[in-house]
Amino acid sequence: MRATARVVLLCLSPLLAGAAAAEDFTAGSLKIGQPWSRATPNGAKVAGGYLTVTNTGSEPDTLTGGTFDEAGSVEIHSMSMEGGVMKMAPVESGLVVKPGETVTLKPGGYHLMFLGLKDPLKKGETVKGTLTFAKAGSVPVTFSVEALAAKAPGAAGGEMDHGKGHHH
């Protein structure tokens, strides 16, 4: 039985390694973790993009934008609550990732805004894109599409984090 288990693990190892590699990306001293988006309802023209960027180097770098194959343009946005009102705005200067720090783009906070969607995003799909950094340049990534109300990659999620009627 043990020999059979070892054979199964040996056969699965390349598949498991490939799955992990598909979710994390590296550009020089930058580590980009788990780019993802949410499925969108039919007719939606915007979606959000989420990920982490860790700077393992000694110099800061700045996330300035990117591309998303299923969208006309990409902007970096911030989201905050002020007096019970959700406020969202573009981050014109980009997001600085200081040495030794991780910047997290997530629902309810900083995120990528995919504008002018060509088609609805469907759970289980992957969409190619790039992230643009001031020093590291353009970094190809693949976004996995999660459930409509997901709060993180692989999470089913209940209520959406950023208010009623505002999907992205």
Side-chain angles (χ1 to χ4, degrees), residues 13-167:
S13 292
L15 296 173
L16 296 173
E23 293 185 358
D24 296 316
F25 302 86
T26 302
S29 62
L30 300 179
K31 308 278 184 233
I32 299 155
Q34 299 186 322
W36 67 285
S37 187
R38 289 180 171 143
T40 56
N42 286 336
K45 294 296 179 199
V46 297
Y50 314 105
L51 52 98
T52 59
V53 181
T54 301
N55 186 341
T56 63
S58 58
E59 296 289 321
D61 204 342
T62 303
L63 175 63
T64 59
T67 65
F68 188 72
D69 283 2
E70 288 296 317
S73 64
V74 175
E75 295 178 354
I76 302 168
H77 279 211
S78 65
M79 185 177 290
S80 61
M81 292 295 286
E82 292 179 27
V85 176
M86 181 191 67
K87 301 214 178 242
M88 187 169 49
V91 179
E92 303 294 341
S93 58
L95 288 176
V96 175
V97 186
K98 295 178 184 172
E101 291 189 359
T102 298
V103 172
T104 301
L105 283 68
K106 63 182 180 179
Y110 288 111
H111 59 279
L112 298 172
M113 201 68 196
F114 304 137
L115 305 167
L117 287 182
K118 299 169 186 171
D119 292 302
L121 301 179
K122 294 179 177 52
K123 182 181 178 200
E125 291 180 332
T126 57
V127 180
K128 293 192 180 299
T130 61
L131 300 176
T132 306
F133 293 90
K135 292 183 181 164
S138 291
V139 181
V141 296
T142 302
F143 291 85
S144 62
V145 180
E146 303 291 335
L148 181 65
K151 296 182 183 199
E159 263 185 55
M160 294 187 52
D161 285 345
H162 36 279
K164 296 177 182 170
H166 189 86
H167 300 281

